[in-house]
Amino acid sequence: MAIDMRVDLAGVSLPNPLVLASGIWGSVAGTLVRAASNGAGAVTSKSCSLAPRIGHPNPTVLHWGHGFINAVGLSNPGAHVQRQELARAHEELAPTGAALIASVFGDTPQGFADAVHVIAEAEPELVELNISCPNVESEFGRPFALDPDAAARATEAVRAVYAGPLLVKLSPNAPELVAVARAVVAAGADGLTAVNTLGPGMLIDLEARRPILSNRVGGISGPALRPVAVRCVFELAGAVAVPIIGTGGVSSGHDALEMIMAGATAVGIGSGLYCEGDGIFRRVLEEMEQWMEQEAVDSLDEIRGCAHG
Amino acid sequence: MGEAIYRTYRVVARRSEGSVGATLILDGPLQAEPGQFVMVWLPGIEERPLAVMDDDPLALTVRVVGPFTRALAACAPGDRLWVRGPYGRGFPVRGEQALLVGGGSGVASLTLLAKRLMQENGHVRVALGARSSDQLMLPWRFRELGCELLLATDDGSEGLRGTVLDAAEPSLSAGWADVVCACGPEVMLLALARRMEGSDVPLYLSLERSMKCGLGICGNCYCGNRLVCLDGPVFPVQEVLCLLEPPP
């Protein structure tokens, strides 16, 4: 019997559970469509704000022993330019069956709402609120995702201007992660993306005797993040009823199935594109299917959240 | 001691490249394919991609276009540079009669190719173009390697008066080359690609983009559906022809 890999994400049907994570491969139609053509069930654009942002100077992204550290600083062309590119991406994605998730951020709740208002015109299947970027604290203050009330205010403001499926991306650094999740769901979020990068962390170059990233600190992703992300997804799935995209260090079928067992509906892949490029989507799907076949599991629903016992 | 992100080099010698910039010869080798690039960090200033001009010892040629390249070009013997890489897909080392076509700072990505081809006993012709003679990049290096030089300047101050394509034209129309490799402004690459349309001589183009990670992650260096750092910077012409920007 054929294995059914389709998933329903907040009312949006995805051909498979793998999602290109936000911030990877940018926001242009060409690269988003390429990821979908190579097996991603949904693709997330890089976070965009109402006004354009240059972001931090290089070095901004570094590969270290166990993953990446980055502080790109939310560089983006602004919502009006992004809207056109995403409209094109949306059109070109249609034949692939993959959904477009538009990631948006703002410096205030109204800033989130204003950016979403513009981006929604590109008709993405879902909008994801990035309330959890750890790399702009010196500019914007504490990320909304660290505080249940602030997170709820951003979600509410967007809910007032946007009726479509809404995801909120949470931070593994929130001391009260479950309280934040409950607050954004109560404020109208239809799903969660868990998690953004960990930290922030820092790397120091011995010769230069100073931090390497121009922002000095940056978010940790890749293998080092994975066990933390799995724990976050597990806690959230036990506390809220909305679907979750489990994201953080996934690079194999094993890792993706681990997220599903923790309770994720879909699985984000970001840093995993390093080395392998978009070939990773097909490989991870094949590895998942192989395991499911061996274990006589016909659909992901059978194992979703099974780790909760 | 492991885990360091950058390898630190010291500048051993600096050679001025006229009004263009400078070539920095460093104190150690870096194993690289011709056409690959490195990310160079100057702490407190910035980090940017640069072509590997030579591999043993590592040498970099920098064209001054902004604060980072100005600081890099001003490095003196004894100064340190932080280097990670090499990254990307380089030029294939093939062909018994290779025509290299270079303009702008892209010329630096052709010198290591010329060296490898000469080591393989190939014949290498190098067409270089610039606005005027003091802006020609690295002609001395190609001469040193024993390549045949075809020069063109807009003002006729060296070589023929015209574009680099004019300099390459006699070789192209005579069917001299069995492979053509080019790097330079996109307008130049597009013109060369159009000139060679219908030819069965393989053409490889090296593209230049602003980069952040250099690792195929951030997407900053996209060109259509390609990432220059991951899929390139060197592409067979068929892969990128439809993505090149037409002249304004």
Side-chain angles (χ1 to χ4, degrees):
Chain A
M1 194 181 127
I3 293 173
D4 187 3
M5 294 298 272
R6 284 175 304 176
V7 297
D8 180 280
L9 182 68
V12 177
S13 175
L14 310 185
N16 71 66
L18 302 186
V19 179
L20 175 72
S22 177
I24 307 298
W25 279 23
S27 279
V28 295
T31 50
L32 294 175
V33 172
R34 175 173 164 185
S37 305
N38 284 289
V43 292
T44 317
S45 56
K46 180 168 163 58
S47 300
C48 129
S49 48
L50 186 63
R53 285 177 54 85
I54 293 172
H56 300 309
N58 248 17
T60 50
V61 186
L62 300 161
H63 187 249
W64 55 288
H66 307 282
F68 284 87
I69 185 166
N70 92 79
V72 173
L74 296 171
S75 56
N76 78 90
H80 289 93
V81 172
Q82 184 80 300
R83 173 183 57 189
Q84 292 171 22
E85 191 64 29
L86 292 185
R88 209 179 116 206
H90 185 253
E91 195 179 317
E92 292 178 20
L93 281 166
T96 69
L100 175 64
I101 305 174
S103 175
V104 170
F105 78 96
D107 52 351
T108 61
Q110 193 55 45
F112 273 95
D114 292 345
V116 170
H117 185 68
V118 175
I119 287 298
E121 289 171 27
E123 297 183 345
E125 275 74 21
L126 300 108
V127 165
E128 179 177 282
L129 302 185
N130 177 7
I131 61 168
S132 44
C133 177
N135 298 325
V136 288
E137 194 162 341
S138 56
E139 207 175 329
F140 295 157
R142 252 174 122 226
F144 291 88
L146 299 191
D147 178 73
D149 291 336
R153 281 199 302 275
T155 309
E156 264 163 23
V158 170
R159 196 75 285 182
V161 301
Y162 172 70
L166 182 63
L167 307 171
V168 176
K169 188 164 185 178
L170 302 182
S171 169
N173 314 317
E176 301 170 90
L177 178 65
V178 166
V180 174
R182 288 195 171 119
V184 300
V185 170
D190 302 306
L192 305 171
T193 302
V195 287
N196 210 316
T197 53
L198 176 69
M202 179 184 281
L203 296 175
I204 292 170
D205 185 273
L206 299 191
E207 296 271 332
R209 303 185 180 192
R210 60 191 295 164
I212 302 173
L213 292 170
S214 71
N215 188 51
R216 294 189 292 203
V217 298
I220 309 294
S221 64
L225 170 61
R226 204 181 94 234
V228 178
V230 171
R231 185 267 301 164
C232 291
V233 170
F234 186 91
E235 277 186 13
L236 294 168
V240 294
V242 298
I244 301 166
I245 304 178
T247 300
V250 171
S251 67
S252 67
H254 164 277
D255 303 347
L257 289 163
E258 188 183 26
M259 283 292 189
I260 302 282
M261 288 188 184
T265 292
V267 179
I269 297 185
S271 302
L273 268 75
Y274 176 60
C275 288
E276 198 174 349
D278 50 11
I280 191 170
F281 294 108
R282 291 249 156 79
R283 178 177 60 79
V284 169
L285 279 176
E286 274 164 27
E287 288 171 3
M288 291 174 82
E289 285 168 357
Q290 207 172 8
W291 182 89
M292 289 166 75
E293 208 165 308
Q294 267 168 25
E295 300 291 317
V297 172
D298 296 329
S299 92
L300 293 169
D301 292 339
E302 286 179 40
I303 54 164
R304 183 166 295 112
C306 68
H308 291 260
Chain B
M1 201 160 68
E3 298 261 337
I5 304 230
Y6 296 94
R7 179 164 172 192
T8 315
Y9 291 86
R10 271 185 201 277
V11 176
V12 170
R14 177 188 185 279
R15 178 172 180 140
S16 170
E17 298 293 344
S19 64
V20 173
T23 293
L24 303 172
I25 318 288
L26 308 180
D27 64 349
L30 179 82
Q31 209 181 337
E33 291 170 27
Q36 283 191 304
F37 67 95
V38 289
M39 298 296 288
V40 178
W41 178 43
L42 293 178
I45 301 175
E46 251 232 72
E47 183 203 46
R48 296 261 170 169
L50 262 93
V52 175
M53 198 283 269
D54 200 3
D55 59 343
D56 189 9
L58 176 61
L60 305 168
T61 297
V62 51
R63 183 185 181 86
V64 176
V65 292
F68 171 81
T69 46
R70 192 170 303 120
L72 188 58
C75 282
D79 287 349
R80 286 177 300 174
L81 303 185
W82 281 253
V83 175
R84 61 183 174 97
Y87 299 120
R89 177 173 65 165
F91 288 105
V93 180
R94 56 180 280 188
E96 287 172 12
Q97 300 202 136
L99 175 64
L100 314 189
V101 182
S105 50
V107 172
S109 71
L110 297 172
T111 45
L112 187 54
L113 176 63
K115 177 167 130 175
R116 289 275 192 282
L117 289 165
M118 295 300 287
Q119 283 167 344
E120 303 280 320
N121 299 315
H123 295 276
V124 182
R125 280 186 186 167
V126 184
L128 298 180
R131 259 181 237 130
S132 62
S133 69
D134 64 331
Q135 293 189 2
L136 281 166
M137 291 274 285
L138 295 166
W140 62 270
R141 179 58 182 154
F142 292 108
R143 275 193 198 105
E144 202 173 71
L145 290 168
C147 306
E148 194 181 330
L149 271 181
L150 311 162
L151 303 178
T153 50
D154 292 350
D155 62 3
S157 53
E158 193 162 349
L160 60 84
R161 182 192 295 266
T163 68
V164 68
L165 252 70
D166 297 327
E169 183 52 42
S171 301
L172 291 171
S173 48
W176 178 82
D178 53 15
V179 63
V180 179
C181 297
C183 188
E186 232 150 274
V187 175
M188 179 204 109
L189 298 181
L190 187 62
L192 177 63
R194 291 209 171 130
R195 168 64 186 81
M196 288 183 64
E197 235 162 13
S199 157
D200 56 3
V201 175
L203 169 62
Y204 295 90
L205 304 177
S206 178
L207 302 191
E208 295 177 320
R209 282 288 183 282
S210 148
M211 287 179 190
K212 282 188 183 285
C213 72
L215 302 168
I217 284 290
C218 73
N220 203 63
C221 64
Y222 74 91
C223 173
N225 65 352
R226 305 283 164 168
L227 295 172
V228 171
C229 74
L230 179 77
D231 306 312
V234 176
F235 296 89
V237 68
Q238 306 85 317
E239 281 188 28
V240 289
L241 185 55
C242 60
L243 307 175
L244 295 176
E245 298 281 339

